[in-house]
Amino acid sequence: MRSTYAGVDWASEKHDVLIADETGEKILAATFVHDEAGLRSLCRTLVRHEVRLVAIERPDGLLVERLLDAGLRILPLHPNQVAAARDRFRVSGGKSDRFDAFVLCELARTDHHRFRVLEPDSDQTKALRALTRAREDLVATRTALCNQLRAELARFWPGPLGLFTDLYSRISLAFLERYPSPADAHGLGEARLHGFLTRQHYTGRQTPAKLLVKLRRAPETRIGALELATRRALVLSLIATLKTINEQIKSLERQIATAVHEHPDGQVFLSLFKKPTSVVCAAELLAEIGDCRSRYPTRDTLAADAGQAAVAKESGKRKAACFRWACNKRLRQAIVTLADSSRHHNPLGPGPLRPSPRPQARPPPRDPHPRTRLVPHPMAPLARPHPV
């Protein structure tokens, strides 16, 4: 039996499949509906033709799980890689699902050695990855709602903006829930504000008098009673939504902490942090790196996938090292968080994270994305291949 390769163009309603042998001769071109019967027929067809490798434009999802469950080897390709390879097989700029399946099949047949075959993680790692990414989505939603609430307050009640550290914090939402409009805060005095801060266990360093000065220094609104009542109701609805999201984020963080401590590799990643409560970043590292050690055989491969290795560019006499944009963005952010937290208490030696011993009249601006060239030393054991 000759070796066969397949390209699957994933879509929400149907999947176009092309199967070819090692010489490029087409064996089968078909379309399967995205339902239970269609997925079963697709898996049976690929197994019956003894497909060696299946190329697809995504690394996870229901279709990928079904293909893995059927015993097939998956070659996940980034959509940008497929888009760049289309011009190798066409003259015009045409595009179709069947053509994309052909491109995927040809990449699996001729260039499979240039890509990495999908190595599935354990069920615990997949569950942890689902928790961390769900929390990340909720945090992004909370940020969007905070921006909407800030814009709404700026239109008619700018006083509470900047009164407390975060607009989504418990004390800030409690204050806005009690005083959602300037009319509600008309009789607010120092004694009443002191009582509110005491009930909310305020730990800031501002006195009630200073907070009142900030609140009353804001410009006053000049809108009608009906518009004021409408905007007051909008603020209360946004506050209720933010309180619900905060509760869900805290619930997810508790589940993440439990999942990290129960994971076989959890203690390895937790040991990278000084505080025992730093579980979210450790969980993100574990979820994105995974528990398959052969995925990153060396420390350099891990650094490259995390965006911590520079990209060398040379043209004529010009040589430059540029920032690596093509990487795992979630893994890069987790490693940047680890590097930023570890520099406060770990002597990393000479490097970009070590402060300069020379005094400076004006400190340099802080880079929001520290670009370290090396992965921190405690992560070196993760790059050594050993059984899971």
Side-chain angles (χ1 to χ4, degrees):
M1 185 68 180
R2 293 178 297 179
S3 299
T4 57
Y5 302 87
V8 179
D9 183 71
W10 180 90
S12 58
E13 297 179 355
K14 62 183 182 66
H15 311 299
D16 288 278
V17 180
L18 188 138
I19 303 176
D21 60 8
E22 56 189 2
T23 62
E25 182 180 354
K26 183 173 68 174
I27 297 177
L28 175 68
T31 301
F32 297 87
V33 182
H34 186 71
D35 55 13
E36 180 59 28
L39 291 181
R40 287 185 179 181
S41 177
L42 171 60
C43 294
R44 285 197 302 265
T45 301
L46 295 176
V47 172
R48 184 174 68 251
H49 287 86
E50 298 183 2
V51 173
R52 178 183 176 186
L53 203 58
V54 180
I56 190 171
E57 287 184 282
R58 59 178 306 159
D60 53 11
L62 190 147
L63 177 59
V64 174
E65 296 296 335
R66 293 294 295 270
L67 295 176
L68 290 173
D69 186 65
L72 298 167
R73 298 174 68 229
I74 308 298
L75 188 68
L77 300 177
H78 196 276
N80 292 344
Q81 295 173 329
V82 180
R86 289 194 186 106
D87 293 336
R88 294 169 53 183
F89 309 101
R90 69 182 178 189
V91 178
S92 63
K95 180 187 179 302
S96 65
D97 295 338
R98 287 289 183 92
F99 179 71
D100 286 347
F102 166 75
V103 173
L104 288 167
C105 183
E106 286 297 300
L107 290 177
R109 184 180 68 87
T110 62
D111 295 57
H112 59 270
H113 61 284
R114 301 183 182 276
F115 304 104
R116 188 169 57 192
V117 178
L118 180 63
E119 299 164 349
D121 293 311
S122 63
D123 189 42
Q124 286 181 293
T125 304
K126 292 179 181 179
L128 184 62
R129 185 181 299 125
L131 288 174
T132 55
R133 293 188 177 183
R135 179 191 174 275
E136 179 184 354
D137 294 338
L138 280 182
V139 170
T141 303
R142 183 177 65 182
T143 303
L145 286 174
C146 283
N147 294 335
Q148 185 177 354
L149 178 60
R150 182 177 288 105
E152 192 66 36
L153 290 173
R155 294 186 181 100
F156 80 107
W157 182 215
L161 297 177
L163 198 62
F164 303 102
T165 303
D166 297 316
L167 193 58
Y168 61 84
S169 62
R170 182 179 56 86
I171 187 172
S172 182
L173 294 179
F175 181 84
L176 289 173
E177 190 175 21
R178 177 65 181 85
Y179 307 104
S181 69
D184 297 300
H186 181 71
L188 179 62
E190 186 174 346
R192 185 177 297 180
L193 182 58
H194 181 269
F196 171 81
L197 297 177
T198 303
R199 290 190 301 270
Q200 296 296 327
H201 306 286
Y202 177 65
T203 57
R205 300 180 180 180
Q206 300 292 330
T207 61
K210 291 183 179 180
L211 293 177
L212 276 178
V213 170
K214 290 183 179 180
L215 188 65
R216 294 170 178 172
R217 190 172 51 193
E220 298 181 359
T221 181
R222 293 292 186 270
I223 60 177
L226 182 58
E227 183 182 359
L228 181 64
T230 303
R231 294 193 181 279
R232 181 181 183 275
L234 291 176
V235 169
L236 289 175
S237 63
L238 289 173
I239 291 172
T241 307
L242 282 171
K243 291 176 66 176
T244 303
I245 290 180
N246 282 339
E247 294 175 359
Q248 295 301 318
I249 290 176
K250 290 181 180 179
S251 176
L252 283 177
E253 289 176 352
R254 289 192 294 268
Q255 297 179 45
I256 288 172
T258 303
V260 169
H261 286 90
E262 292 179 353
H263 197 281
D265 293 339
Q267 294 302 322
V268 176
F269 288 87
L270 289 173
S271 64
L272 303 177
F273 298 87
K274 186 176 182 180
K275 294 182 180 180
T277 57
S278 301
V279 295
V280 174
C281 187
E284 291 176 349
L285 285 170
L286 176 54
E288 299 304 326
I289 292 177
D291 50 18
C292 184
R293 295 293 177 264
S294 59
R295 184 176 300 154
Y296 300 109
T298 63
R299 188 171 62 178
D300 293 337
T301 57
L302 177 59
D305 196 22
Q308 303 302 305
V311 178
K313 292 186 177 181
E314 181 179 355
S315 177
K317 297 181 179 180
R318 181 178 178 273
K319 296 182 180 180
C322 303
F323 185 64
R324 182 181 292 270
W325 296 102
C327 65
N328 187 339
K329 307 299 189 300
R330 294 184 176 93
L331 180 57
R332 179 176 66 188
Q333 184 59 42
I335 288 187
V336 166
T337 303
L338 171 62
D340 183 68
S341 62
S342 62
R343 68 186 177 89
H344 297 286
H345 53 81
N346 285 338
L348 297 180
L353 293 181
R354 187 174 185 177
S356 176
R358 296 175 297 178
Q360 297 179 355
R362 178 180 297 176
R366 182 179 177 183
D367 189 356
H369 301 289
R371 302 168 185 179
T372 56
R373 291 176 295 175
L374 296 177
V375 178
H377 178 69
M379 300 190 68
L382 302 178
R384 300 173 186 168
H386 64 275
V388 179

